[in-house]
Amino acid sequence: MKKKFLYISILITVMMGGCQKDLLTPDSETQVSTLDLAQFSTVARIDGQVRGLYTGLRAADFYGGRYIVYNELRADNYVAQSSNSVTATQTYAYTLGNGAQEVNGFWASAYNTINRCNLFIEGMAAKGNAVIGDATGKNYIAEAKMIRAICYYSLLTLYARPYYDGNGSKPGLPLRLTGNSVSGNFDLARSTVAEVYTQVLKDLNEAEIDLPANYSTALNNTIRAHKNTAIAYKTRVYLTMQRYADVVTEANKIVPLVAPFTATSGVAHALQADITNVFKTPYTTTESILSMPFVSGTENAAGQSALGSYFFGVVLYSMNPTGIIADAGWKSTDKRRSFIGSRSGFTVLSKYPTLAASNYADYVPIIRYAEVLLNLGEALARSTTSVNPRAVALLNAVRNRSDATTTFLVTGFAAPQALYDAFLKERNIELLGEGFRSPDLLRLGLTIPGKESIPAVLPSSPLYIWPIPSSELLYNKLMTDNL
Amino acid sequence: MTKKLLLILLLFGIYTKNLKAQTRIITGTVTDKMDGSSLPGVAIMVVGSNNGIQTSADGKFSLKVPTGAQSLKFTYVGYLSKTLTVTGNVINVALEQDSKQLSEIVVTGYGTQRKADNVGSIARVSSKELENKPVQSFDQALGGKAAGVQITIPNGVLNNPPVIRIRGTNSISLSSFPLIVIDGIATFTGDASGSSAAGNALASINPNDIESIDVLKDAAAAAIYGSRAANGVLIVTTKKGKSGKATVSYDAWVGSVKPRNLEPLLDAFQYTDLKNEALKNFGTYNTGPTGTRAFFALTNDASGNPINTNWYDYIYREGFSHSNTVSISGGNESTSYYLSGNFTAQEGIIVKNDYNRKSGLFKIDHKEGKMFLLGGKISYTNQENLAATSSGSLPGEAFGTGGLGRLAIVTAPNVAPLNPDGSYSIFNATTIGRMGNVGSDVGFYNPSTVIDLDRSNNELNTVQSNFYLQANLTPWLNLKTVYGIDYILSDNDAFFNPINGGSAASLGSAAKSLNKNKRWVWTNTAQADYTFSEKHNFSLLLGNEQQRSESDGFSGSRTTLSDLAFDNYAAGFATPATAGAVGENYLVSFFSRFNYDFNKKYFLTANLRQDEYSAFGANNKKGIFYGVGIGWEIAQEKFWTKAGLDNLFTTFKIRGSYGTIGNFSGLGNLASYSFYGTGLYAGASTLVPTQTGNDQIGWETSDKLDVGFNFGILNDKITVEAAYYKNSLGGLIYNVPQVPSAGLPSTPQINIASMYNKGYELTVNADPVRTNNFSWNTSLNISFNENKITSLSQGIDQFLTTTSGLESASISRVGSSLGMIYAVPTAGVDPATGRRIFIEKATGKKVLYSHNITTSGFLRWSYEDGTAAPVISINDAQVAGNTQPKFVGGFSNNFRYKKFDLTTTLTYQLGFSIYYGTNAGLRDQRFWNNSTDMLRRWTTPGQITDIPKLNFTDNVSNGSSFPIDVNIYKGDFVKLRNISLGYTLPTQFLSKAKISSARLYVSGDNLLILTKYPGSDPEVSSNGNSTSSLGVERNSVANGRTLTAGLSLKF
């Protein structure tokens, strides 16, 4: 009988000991939990978060290629060699519905980045500034605002009627300026286009004040925002709004009145003598104001998103023989013609030549100094409704850098419109493959030319801009579709 | 006193015997009626005497009997006794297994119970129904075997885990797969492979090693498994040794499998004609010297004949398989053992999709002294799951451009895999060579290149082992401790060639990964069984259990081969990339069960379990679950007897149960946390939001009600079990979609939704004929289930589920069942223009689509009157069909005539639809090859047809762009799952070879399917274990039809 009690007591001891409490609350060994804002608890984590904001911009659906691809394919410079709807043929052929992957994917990607910025700005106030110090904190918050502005501006180019149409009175975007970290009711109506632009400009103006003038490395001057980044981006935003005088004001901060056109404050942006140097290793010339870096092996561009995959490696889209490459004024000796190559028997864009084997690891440009010069030149002409000599000088700066044999003369333009057109064409050549063609047509209310069997799209057409994503319409009860 | 009496009687007997001395010797053999094996140890008694003997090891006996003896009685445990009149000197007897006696026990959690005492809803599947089937894992053989259990084999990819549903789909976002407990250890389930070859974790068990599977369905039965039991529990018990002479068994089968019912495709001539017609209709046909040339053309092969390739021949095959199992079992009074080894090599219907398994199981049970029982098992299995490349048929793969199911139907028939010089015909890194066709792709990857050169293999090494010690402190009290482990080591090895295919653009790649899944379970129980006053039977179980699971993985991939001749990960590559993954969880539980019955007439069972689980939110770690059941055996009541009902009913039991149990299967280990994860930005580390957590997350609850009755009539010749159940599911985890513009990093999981499953189950077993020469057993089960979502979350009344992230053909709405088909309604083809007619949701108006708008006067979308209409899209889709069968079940018959036996198993699923998305691809007007349906395309005004005018690149008219109702089909089917004919060799042939029994059989699986579904098999589906997107088939490979022949020997 004693024996039995012994067994029973052993068993009970075992059963009572049968629980290891600490195993019930595991810690992640790979990720930072947000308990106590731990993501702001060290300088390294805050530094990582700032860089993480840029990776939002660099996402596959955004500047990781697709955002540029969409804006390129909407225009007339390419013909499809693939019929795969996964690789943007619906954008190309204007058969997009609300449910299309690109319509939902880019929206989610941009808003995901916006939310990162909002969370970061709030977290810095709550904890981060105390950890890293107010001075650096200010820089970082300015970077967040800069990135948020890029996101909203980019969304506007595809999902909202251009600013010219009713002076921004048309439906814009849900304007979200606070961070979301847990589930909730996020119904929010669209602000007007003008209201969103106002926020974009506010962010850029504040960023300009708080961003550092420059960084210690050429790499960071290219992949992180500094004062001139905000200024340069403002020239684009104002140009899109047709606020040409403001373009001039902003651009003048970084473009001297006369050549040589080199920024005199902050990073010394200038055109490179040879444009091809901008698009190859190390991709960090002073011409690149902001670019997204890719590193083969560790930071790959995704196969069905990378510019090199669409336009070169896989030849999903080849050059439209009747597009800008057919332009007689774009001489064969023009250095920029070296970006038109041949692959698998097709004429293709070879601006992003890195192949899948090296994971399409070309840097993706967001802002180049050449664009700023063209923004300024066009704005000078349009704001003065004249063949502005400085405008012509800027046009020549861009043209002559690649084609010394073609120089535009003030007298060569019969009317201001001819100069406007010259700027548009120069942008089409200079910025080919950088996602400008569709926004350029839209900001001016121009018809999008057809290609192959795909007809032209009139500014009045519902196809002129994208529809609102079906998922946003479904879950945001206050959201309205584009008509 | 009695002893003395016995002695006197014995003496008297001897005396009498001596006195008369008139005896004779009767000899004979006792065999099993079913398989003819000899039965050792059968007791043979001379009726009316104490004279008796046992059969020897080979089933023979020799007995001296008095001449006056009239008859002999043969009795053997587990068999029906038989009494035979003595006629000659030789009596050969075949004893029949007592099926009732065998099924008398059910295995409950942490114990067993007499079936008659059980009040829970438990279905039992015995070893006979699982052995020697041409399957990789036992779950594939369960279809139709038990009421309320739905098994769906998703396609012909070898070792692909079947979808198991017990009483409907019981979860939305988590898994609805049942808990599988093998010899007391909750085991890993799902696809353990990390390659393109599926690797069902449950295939590590040789189906021939399984003694029984008990399916726990209601709260009374399953609540003992608490937070994991809501989807039902399958308790798998492996075989163990029986005391007696060692029995050696050998089972072998060979088989062949072929794909069934492949869709007929256009041949090269038809393809070339139709695609050119499509180009012409679209206005881009151009063979001329100027402009963009585009046309399709035949190409001659080396011998001058037009190339006409049937890609099915390159992708599908007849696969051959074999399986061999040897087992030895036996023991003595104190120790018994079971040892088995299995080797099987199986080929699937897809070229290079192979499965090899080597397994060994050793079990031993020992009784030490009067008090202790101890023993355990060791099982080790090595499995190879092999594939050349993706089948395109596992969950998430449907739209892969390299999926073989898709390549077979998409690739143009007018091109060949090889150039005349023997090299692979390729256009570029990712597309097959165009040969004579100009201006368009004619396929994705070259199927031959990827089949010949690529590989995606998996190797699983599995160890399952346990050790137990039990102390029987008193006859009514025992203590038991069991410690078990379950390890799966999954190695994956993949290579993608540098010529054409998924990694050709990066000049080849190789990948390896190793994932370790390790679990230990330690269970301690105390069990007391006590009877008071002979009528009050009590049983009490108390237990504690800990389960710890850890996973750790490492993977590497390398691209850009340094030398194109190599295909090994260890060879030279330019670019490496590595990754790792870790995981852990911990479950600690206390549980109890209380059983009481009064005089085997009134029964009560109560289960209680408290679970604490590491993945639950910080404030919600602990849950308590229970189930209570009651039963009433009316046939034991006097009034029943008085009313004379006992003449008809042997038993009649009414039972009912209720309880609340849980489910967390599929819940992420760290789902409760919000996370920031790391990455890189130009080489410097980043930290970005990666997971939207929910610190309140917990288990899903299932309130289970079950009422039913069982009865047996005509001395249990017919038994019937009927049940009504309702599972009210609450707190279902739902990935509550947040407004996309809120920008959350992931969709948070919240316990918010509710749903129910209710239905009826009926099982009828009958034993209509049982004679010496002929017997017939039959079993029918039918289950009716209704699934309805009652709420999702605030403001959300529906959600779409995509197939492989692209096609939204499934919608789940409050008020209807999970995963209804969602498709845009159409109204045929306009006879005047051949345009597809869609129905606009907002107005109900007909909208005609023209892919070609170069022809003047055609708008892409227009109303019947020619005015412009808005773009038709997925937004115009409507709910168009239920994918969950209303009725599922099986019908089995066993016939035996003398030495022949015939078994048939029919399974059926009725009352559901399938979205045959593959059909959209088969009719897609890009370069894709088409089904022969396209031969009826619209060509002339006034023509009435269901196939629109061909327009090259048209991906809208036939459902590629968004799902359309044309591709919805009734899925109802009745399937001859298995038919098997066996012959048991007569004993006299065998005894010389020392063989005690031998049975030969031939068997066919999936031979016949009655269905209106046009695809390969109405069970085929693309979304695996998904809860909300079943019934969608997109580019999946076919299912197979199998013929096997086998042999079972016992020594």
Side-chain angles (χ1 to χ4, degrees), chain B residues 608-808:
Chain B
L608 188 66
R609 181 166 180 132
Q610 174 194 290
D611 280 341
E612 283 182 275
Y613 185 51
S614 59
F616 295 153
N619 304 322
N620 205 16
K621 287 271 183 221
K622 192 184 287 183
I624 292 174
F625 308 88
Y626 75 97
V628 180
I630 50 172
W632 178 24
E633 179 52 71
I634 313 181
Q636 298 282 334
E637 296 287 355
K638 281 187 183 134
F639 69 79
W640 188 267
T641 322
K642 268 185 192 167
L645 288 167
D646 60 330
N647 293 333
L648 181 62
F649 292 95
T650 332
T651 58
F652 197 110
K653 189 180 198 177
I654 298 175
R655 58 187 175 77
S657 72
Y658 186 79
T660 297
I661 53 187
N663 175 37
F664 64 73
S665 173
L667 177 64
N669 289 332
L670 300 167
S672 67
Y673 297 91
S674 288
F675 282 124
Y676 275 57
T678 55
L680 288 171
Y681 184 63
S685 72
T686 62
L687 194 63
V688 300
T690 46
Q691 175 168 304
T692 311
N694 168 13
D695 60 7
Q696 296 294 323
I697 201 159
W699 57 93
E700 304 182 334
T701 59
S702 177
D703 297 331
K704 288 192 192 295
L705 170 71
D706 182 283
V707 290
F709 57 85
N710 310 340
F711 62 82
I713 53 178
L714 302 172
N715 202 18
D716 280 1
K717 245 188 175 7
I718 300 173
T719 59
V720 173
E721 292 179 29
Y724 164 81
Y725 63 86
K726 182 166 184 185
N727 299 345
S728 300
L729 306 155
L732 293 180
I733 288 178
Y734 184 58
N735 287 57
V736 177
Q738 305 293 303
V739 174
S741 63
L744 292 172
S746 73
T747 309
Q749 296 188 312
I750 302 175
N751 294 90
I752 197 162
S754 57
M755 186 164 73
Y756 69 75
N757 285 295
K758 66 179 181 184
Y760 304 90
E761 290 170 4
L762 178 70
T763 305
V764 181
N765 292 308
D767 205 359
V769 185
R770 183 187 286 268
T771 68
N772 264 346
N773 284 335
F774 182 69
S775 69
W776 171 33
N777 298 315
T778 181
S779 173
L780 171 75
N781 70 69
I782 184 162
S783 314
F784 166 82
N785 187 64
E786 179 189 322
N787 170 263
K788 191 177 277 189
I789 303 168
T790 45
S791 73
L792 286 171
S793 77
Q794 189 71 39
I796 289 168
D797 53 10
Q798 65 178 45
F799 65 93
L800 299 176
T801 309
T802 64
T803 293
S804 300
L806 275 181
E807 184 170 80
S808 303

Side-chain angles (χ1 to χ4, degrees), chain B residues 32-37 39 78-79 95-100 102-103 124-135 138 140-143 145 206-214 237-239 242 247 249-251 253 327 338 775 777 779 892-896 901-905 978-982 984 997-999 1001 1003 1005 1048-1050:
Chain B
D32 181 319
K33 193 167 190 172
M34 191 66 191
D35 62 7
S37 63
L39 297 173
Y79 285 73
L95 291 183
E96 193 161 6
Q97 287 193 16
D98 184 350
S99 54
K100 266 170 280 166
L102 281 182
S103 63
R124 187 174 177 84
V125 180
S126 70
S127 58
K128 284 262 180 288
E129 310 192 65
L130 303 168
E131 285 171 349
N132 298 322
K133 298 280 188 286
V135 295
F138 68 85
Q140 293 172 340
L142 281 177
K145 300 294 185 192
N206 175 8
N208 280 26
D209 283 338
I210 294 174
E211 176 68 33
S212 65
I213 295 175
D214 293 83
T237 308
T238 57
K239 287 175 180 168
K242 289 175 190 139
T247 307
S249 302
Y250 172 68
D251 290 283
W253 55 259
S327 71
Y338 176 86
S775 69
N777 298 315
S779 173
S892 300
N893 282 286
N894 299 301
F895 302 93
R896 187 190 49 73
D901 58 84
L902 175 70
T903 305
T904 62
T905 303
N978 175 266
I979 181 165
S980 170
L981 176 68
T984 303
S997 81
R999 177 174 173 263
Y1001 60 90
S1003 170
D1005 284 68
S1048 295
L1049 297 176
K1050 279 202 173 73

Side-chain angles (χ1 to χ4, degrees), chain B residues 72-122:
Chain B
L72 298 179
K73 184 175 184 184
F74 297 80
T75 52
Y76 191 49
V77 178
Y79 285 73
L80 294 169
S81 300
K82 206 164 191 178
T83 305
L84 290 177
T85 311
V86 178
T87 48
N89 286 337
V90 176
I91 299 182
N92 290 324
V93 183
L95 291 183
E96 193 161 6
Q97 287 193 16
D98 184 350
S99 54
K100 266 170 280 166
Q101 214 172 328
L102 281 182
S103 63
E104 204 165 50
I105 297 290
V106 288
V107 182
T108 59
Y110 310 97
T112 58
Q113 198 177 18
R114 267 176 22 108
K115 187 169 168 57
D117 295 352
N118 168 57
V119 297
S121 194
I122 300 179

Side-chain angles (χ1 to χ4, degrees), chain B residues 809-879:
Chain B
S810 307
I811 190 165
S812 301
R813 282 190 168 164
V814 173
S816 54
S817 66
L818 264 176
M820 308 280 284
I821 295 173
Y822 192 54
V824 176
T826 60
V829 172
D830 179 29
T833 58
R835 297 166 73 181
R836 167 71 71 202
I837 304 169
F838 296 89
I839 305 295
E840 189 187 11
K841 192 177 191 174
T843 61
K845 282 190 186 171
K846 289 182 174 176
V847 174
L848 281 64
Y849 175 75
S850 174
H851 194 69
N852 175 11
I853 47 172
T854 52
T855 310
S856 63
F858 273 10
L859 291 163
R860 197 180 289 278
W861 301 96
S862 63
Y863 292 117
E864 282 177 291
D865 61 7
T867 57
V871 173
I872 296 290
S873 71
I874 187 73
N875 293 342
D876 293 285
Q878 304 207 12
V879 176

Side-chain angles (χ1 to χ4, degrees), chain A residues 31 51 83 176 223 299 472, chain B residues 676 681-683 685 690 741 926:
Chain A
Q31 299 186 91
R51 290 186 288 262
S83 51
R176 297 188 185 272
I223 65 165
E299 295 166 60
E472 184 75 19
Chain B
Y676 275 57
Y681 184 63
S685 72
T690 46
S741 63
R926 285 169 272 187

Side-chain angles (χ1 to χ4, degrees), chain B residues 198-270:
Chain B
N200 185 356
L202 296 178
S204 64
I205 306 161
N206 175 8
N208 280 26
D209 283 338
I210 294 174
E211 176 68 33
S212 65
I213 295 175
D214 293 83
V215 185
L216 315 186
K217 297 189 280 193
D218 71 338
I224 196 75
Y225 287 105
S227 60
R228 297 172 290 169
N231 296 326
V233 184
L234 257 58
I235 301 190
V236 179
T237 308
T238 57
K239 287 175 180 168
K240 59 198 277 187
K242 289 175 190 139
S243 59
K245 179 189 170 277
T247 307
V248 177
S249 302
Y250 172 68
D251 290 283
W253 55 259
V254 292
S256 105
V257 60
K258 283 182 187 172
R260 69 178 308 285
N261 204 25
L262 295 171
E263 188 79 30
L265 303 174
L266 301 179
D267 67 16
F269 306 96
Q270 294 165 330

